[in-house]
Amino acid sequence: MGISQNIKNLRATLPGNVRLIAVSKTHPMDEIMEAYNEGHRVFGENRVQELLPKYDALPKDIEWHLIGHLQTNKVKYIVPFVSLIHSIDSFKLLKEVNKEAAKSKRVVDCLLQVYIASEETKFGLSDEELFDLISNTEVQSFQNCRIVGLMGMATFTENQVQIRNEFQHLFGLFKKVESSFPFLMPNFKELSMGMSNDYEIAIEEGSTLIRVGSAIFGDREYQHT
Ligand SMILES: *Cc1c(COP(=O)(O)O)cnc(C)c1O
């Protein structure tokens, strides 16, 4: 099956409250344009150095999401145009986004990435770090970034029960943050969870944003973490 058919099929199955982010990392621009020509406008990349040339060359009505680990020194390159940063995992990074967004006269939407998997390699905040970060009065004063939700990646496993448990845990954190920090409302409403292998479970467990790469574009020849 081709990219446009994959996009069509996927979108046909999604509930109305769930948005599809087509993860185009490692895939060339003509493949992105195939999805674009099918009417798709929301794309995710995980590396700044790959996102920038794609942003420059491709249509300006594309909504770009940065989904991968972000280094503080790269923030300034994406803040002028990025729609949503999924991978805020430290105070320092959020502070930098706020500072650079002010220079661009923008308010940049951000998700806090929480570590929910049992693997060593995944980035993200622990539950405790998540609450500490939002409790920080300096964070609460930021004018140029908005915390609009949480993001998490389940363990890469065949074990559906484990994946479901990890998503349920993230959903629970989402609800707890919502009730503990009224200042985040009404913006705090996004839960980014679910990839090609587990988006169906993620949707059942309350996802509002799924990040799907290989199920749309096919296998990647190389994989970045
Ligand atoms: C690559 C990537 C995805 C998409 O992965 P697939 O398994 O190809 O759907 C989703 N989220 C993040 C953070 C990624 O790096």
Side-chain angles (χ1 to χ4, degrees):
M1 262 197 313
I3 291 167
S4 40
Q5 194 61 48
N6 291 342
I7 283 265
K8 265 200 243 177
N9 293 350
L10 245 167
R11 286 207 309 216
T13 66
L14 293 188
N17 61 322
V18 178
R19 285 202 300 155
L20 169 65
I21 299 158
V23 176
S24 49
K25 66 187 186 195
T26 79
H27 292 283
M29 308 214 204
D30 59 320
E31 293 186 6
I32 297 177
M33 282 310 294
E34 224 179 301
Y36 182 91
N37 290 330
E38 197 51 57
H40 202 73
R41 293 294 180 270
V42 188
F43 293 89
E45 289 281 337
N46 70 335
R47 296 167 78 227
V48 171
Q49 56 269 49
E50 190 175 342
L51 171 56
L52 294 177
K54 287 176 171 172
Y55 166 72
D56 280 338
L58 291 168
K60 289 297 174 281
D61 61 344
I62 289 179
E63 192 182 299
W64 290 105
H65 291 216
L66 196 283
I67 61 171
H69 183 65
L70 177 59
Q71 287 171 287
T72 311
N73 62 0
K74 303 256 172 70
V75 165
K76 59 177 176 286
Y77 302 115
I78 61 164
V79 148
F81 68 88
V82 76
S83 287
L84 181 61
I85 300 173
H86 289 235
S87 45
I88 300 293
D89 60 1
S90 71
F91 170 75
K92 186 170 151 233
L93 184 58
L94 191 61
K95 189 179 164 113
E96 182 70 10
V97 171
N98 187 58
K99 187 184 98 188
E100 290 298 328
K103 289 187 199 165
S104 293
K105 299 194 164 48
R106 292 195 70 208
V107 178
V108 173
D109 285 347
C110 294
L111 303 177
L112 303 179
Q113 183 173 354
V114 186
Y115 173 85
I116 56 169
S118 64
E119 292 147 335
E120 289 284 325
T121 51
K122 299 270 159 78
F123 294 101
L125 302 156
S126 68
D127 297 11
E128 193 185 347
E129 289 166 341
L130 170 68
F131 283 88
D132 285 351
L133 179 59
I134 308 173
S135 305
N136 185 315
T137 51
E138 196 177 341
V139 167
Q140 298 185 3
S141 76
F142 288 162
Q143 297 294 314
N144 293 86
C145 59
R146 291 198 306 187
I147 299 171
V148 301
L150 304 180
M151 182 271 231
M153 289 169 85
T155 304
F156 187 70
T157 172
E158 297 285 302
N159 184 339
Q160 312 264 305
V161 174
Q162 181 178 357
I163 292 172
R164 190 179 294 279
N165 283 340
E166 290 171 0
F167 287 152
Q168 283 174 352
H169 179 73
L170 187 59
F171 184 79
L173 285 174
F174 177 82
K175 285 293 170 196
K176 198 169 159 202
V177 168
E178 196 178 43
S179 58
S180 310
F181 300 102
F183 85 94
L184 292 175
M185 303 312 289
N187 304 317
F188 192 82
K189 56 184 189 303
E190 302 288 359
L191 190 51
S192 170
M193 60 184 196
M195 308 175 25
S196 293
N197 288 323
D198 55 21
Y199 70 85
E200 283 153 317
I201 303 175
I203 290 170
E204 287 169 11
E205 300 305 334
S207 175
T208 66
L209 294 168
I210 58 171
R211 311 177 309 270
V212 178
S214 44
I216 295 171
F217 294 103
D219 288 338
R220 287 177 291 277
E221 276 170 31
Y222 59 106
Q223 189 146 15
H224 297 287
T225 51

